[in-house]
């Protein structure tokens, strides 16, 4: 989408080569394959490879190195005035149900309120341009509606590891359904000073 809209070379980074292969296929199908350069590497290594990024777009990858740490590590790779659009799982309310707090305390203990993430971004030298919460439907359509029946089927799998993953997935879906919108993915639009 970015290559089509902007008409420039896009450097795609992922640590999982099959995802990059799928991106290459889609880019070719969309007629923008020559504008996409894929790099199989860790997100934390971006400054070692790139030194003048205009726009760094990260969906769901900052958590691998921590939101604040990702912003600090990426800063040297951004040109002055460059932009970062980054999504991060965040508490949208201080009044989250105890079950949701417990679930994420075990699965993502570094999860913070949106306001805390904004403060962290500002402390890392970014100007906050805006935020956008991923809508509830984005969690359900083509994600949980596909994942839930698969996880239900695998919950009785003979392999204990598969069973555990399936049961954890079903627990996550249950938490989402009962959490009343107290958490979600937030996109932060930032500009490097």
């Amino acid at each position: 989408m970015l290559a089509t809209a902007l008409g420039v070379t896009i450097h795609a980074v992922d640590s999982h080569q099959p995802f990059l292969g799928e991106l290459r296929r889609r880019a070719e199908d969309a007629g923008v394959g020559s504008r996409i350069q894929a790099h199989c590497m860790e997100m934390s290594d971006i400054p070692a490879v790139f030194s003048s990024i205009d726009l760094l777009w990260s969906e769901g990858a900052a958590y691998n190195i921590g939101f604040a740490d990702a912003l600090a590590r990426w800063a040297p790779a951004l040109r002055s005035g460059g932009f970062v659009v980054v999504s991060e799982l965040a508490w949208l309310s201080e009044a989250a149900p105890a079950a949701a707090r417990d679930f994420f305390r075990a699965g993502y203990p570094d999860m913070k309120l949106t306001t805390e993430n904004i403060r962290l971004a500002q402390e890392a030298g970014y100007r906050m341009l805006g935020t956008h919460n991923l809508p509830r439907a984005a969690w359900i359509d083509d994600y949980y509606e596909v994942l839930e029946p698969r996880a239900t089927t695998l919950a009785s799998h003979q392999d204990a590891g598969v069973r555990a993953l399936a049961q954890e997935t079903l627990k996550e879906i249950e938490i989402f359904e009962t959490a009343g919108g107290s958490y979600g993915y937030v996109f932060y639009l930032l500009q490097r000073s």
Side-chain angles (χ1 to χ4, degrees), residues 77-158:
L78 292 166
R79 69 166 178 77
S80 179
F83 298 94
V84 174
V85 178
V86 58
S87 68
E88 173 71 349
L89 189 61
W91 295 111
L92 305 177
S93 166
E94 291 186 27
R101 292 268 179 199
D102 292 344
F103 181 81
F104 285 105
R105 190 174 297 117
Y108 189 33
D110 202 33
M111 192 166 143
K112 296 180 177 22
L113 282 165
T114 301
T115 53
E116 292 176 280
N117 286 334
I118 290 170
R119 179 186 52 78
L120 290 170
Q122 291 168 333
E123 288 174 359
Y126 294 87
R127 185 165 65 102
M128 178 60 57
L129 301 176
T131 61
H132 174 74
N133 294 358
L134 199 63
R136 178 176 172 79
W139 290 79
I140 298 168
D141 300 346
D142 297 324
Y143 185 57
Y144 283 156
E145 71 180 9
V146 173
L147 202 53
E148 185 172 25
R150 290 179 181 169
T152 300
T153 300
L154 294 173
S156 59
H157 194 275
Q158 63 185 19

